[in-house]
Amino acid sequence: MTRLLDGDSLLYMTTCACEVDIRWTEDIHTLHLDQGDVKDMLFGILERQEQATGDPDLIMCFTDNPTFRHELHQDYKANRLGKRKPLGYRDIREWMIDTFPSRVIPGLEADDVMGLLATDGSVTNPLMVSPDKDMRTIPGRLLAKEEIEAITLHQADRAWMLQTLTGDTSDNYQGLKGVGPVGAEKILGSAAVLKDMWPKVVAAYQKAGLTINDAIFNARLARILRDGDYDYRAGRVRLWDPTADPSLASNG
C-alpha cells in the first residue's frame, strides 16, 4: 500500500496548529513558531497513519502555482488572495519535499497529483489520504477520517457532477447559481452513470438561461485529474471534452 498524502493540507494544518501567540503586556502580542514542533507533529501524524494502514510507503503531493485552473478562470481562488500563510509555511514545505518522497507536477494542484497517481497504475495499491471532499470525485480508495472508503467510478462521476452543479465557494467558482447540494442531488435524480448524468446537468444550465459551454467550464474546474488527463511529455492538461469522452459516446 502507498499512501498518497495531501501535502498542502498537512502543511497548512500543522503550521497553523503550532503558531503560538504570546501576550507580553495588555497591548503587545507576538506570534512565533518553533519549526521543530511542526516537524514533531508531522512525524506523529505519519506514524499513526502507518500504524493504521500497516505500510510505511507514502508520497507527499504538493501544488505548483499557478495552476491550469487559474488559466481557465482568472478569479479562481481569488478570494484567498491577501490571506496570511502560517509562519514557517515555505520553509516547512521545502523541508517536507526534501525529507519525504514527494511529487509536484507543473501547473497542477496537490489534488490533481493525487488523482493521477491513484488512477494511472504507476503506484502500488494507492490509498488517497485527504480531508478534502473533492477527492471523492476520484475512483479508488480514500482515507478521509478514520475508515477507508472504496469509491467506484460511478460514485466518483456523480460526486464530480454534483460539484459541477454546486460550484465551490472555497475555490471561488460559482457552478449553477442557487443550486446547493440538495438541489444538485434532485437534478441528477436516479441517474447512476455519467452518460445519464451529464445531459441532466446541461439541461439544468440551459433551464437557467446558460449554455452547454457554461456547464463544460464548471465541469473542467470541478474535475480532479485522472489517468489520461495530463500530457507529461508536453507538460499540459488535456481538458475534459464531452465530445471526446468515450463514456458519453452514445449521446453523440
Side-chain angles (χ1 to χ4, degrees):
M1 182 184 299
T2 303
R3 283 171 285 146
L4 305 176
L5 301 176
D6 183 342
D8 292 351
S9 177
L10 275 173
L11 171 62
Y12 191 85
M13 176 186 68
T14 53
T15 49
C16 275
C18 292
E19 285 188 336
V20 178
D21 179 1
I22 297 180
R23 182 169 185 171
W24 297 97
T25 69
E26 183 176 346
D27 297 323
I28 298 176
H29 294 245
T30 61
L31 191 67
H32 80 269
L33 177 86
D34 184 333
Q35 293 188 19
D37 292 341
V38 180
K39 295 173 183 179
D40 288 344
M41 180 176 286
L42 278 165
F43 279 124
I45 291 170
L46 297 180
E47 183 178 353
R48 290 191 293 274
Q49 288 179 355
E50 181 178 337
Q51 291 173 349
T53 60
D55 202 309
D57 293 339
L58 62 86
I59 300 174
M60 292 276 190
C61 302
F62 292 94
T63 293
D64 176 68
N65 278 307
T67 73
F68 76 96
R69 291 185 183 86
H70 292 95
E71 296 178 6
L72 285 176
H73 181 34
Q74 65 178 4
D75 292 327
Y76 183 69
K77 292 190 175 179
N79 52 332
R80 303 186 189 187
L81 293 176
K83 292 186 178 179
R84 180 182 68 84
K85 287 281 196 299
L87 296 175
Y89 186 91
R90 291 174 178 80
D91 288 344
I92 292 294
R93 183 181 189 272
E94 291 180 7
W95 172 82
M96 289 172 71
I97 291 174
D98 290 340
T99 303
F100 304 104
S102 301
R103 287 293 302 273
V104 183
I105 298 178
L108 302 189
E109 296 183 56
D111 290 356
D112 299 307
V113 179
M114 294 171 66
L116 290 172
L117 296 180
T119 57
D120 67 8
S122 65
V123 173
T124 302
N125 204 10
L127 172 66
M128 298 175 285
V129 183
S130 173
D132 194 335
K133 69 182 186 305
D134 292 351
M135 298 317 298
R136 290 188 173 84
T137 67
I138 296 295
R141 295 182 308 146
L142 172 67
L143 179 61
K145 294 182 180 179
E146 295 184 0
E147 293 186 359
I148 295 175
E149 304 174 34
I151 302 170
T152 68
L153 173 61
H154 298 321
Q155 288 172 332
D157 283 342
R158 187 175 180 93
W160 170 37
M161 289 293 100
L162 290 171
Q163 192 88 329
T164 300
L165 288 164
T166 63
D168 190 334
T169 55
S170 67
D171 288 340
N172 206 42
Y173 68 93
Q174 189 172 37
L176 193 53
K177 189 175 181 179
V179 174
V182 174
E185 290 282 3
K186 185 176 180 180
I187 288 170
L188 294 185
S190 60
V193 295
L194 187 60
K195 71 180 182 64
D196 294 330
M197 289 184 274
W198 177 243
K200 291 177 178 288
V201 171
V202 173
Y205 271 82
Q206 291 174 333
K207 184 178 180 180
L210 301 172
T211 70
I212 186 173
N213 288 332
D214 295 306
I216 293 172
F217 170 75
N218 281 280
R220 286 172 170 173
L221 288 172
R223 184 177 176 86
I224 305 301
L225 301 188
R226 309 175 185 178
D227 183 33
D229 288 342
Y230 190 76
D231 184 336
Y232 287 92
R233 180 169 295 182
R236 62 177 179 82
V237 173
R238 298 185 180 104
L239 294 174
W240 181 71
D241 182 353
T243 65
D245 190 325
S247 63
L248 299 176
S250 61
N251 289 328

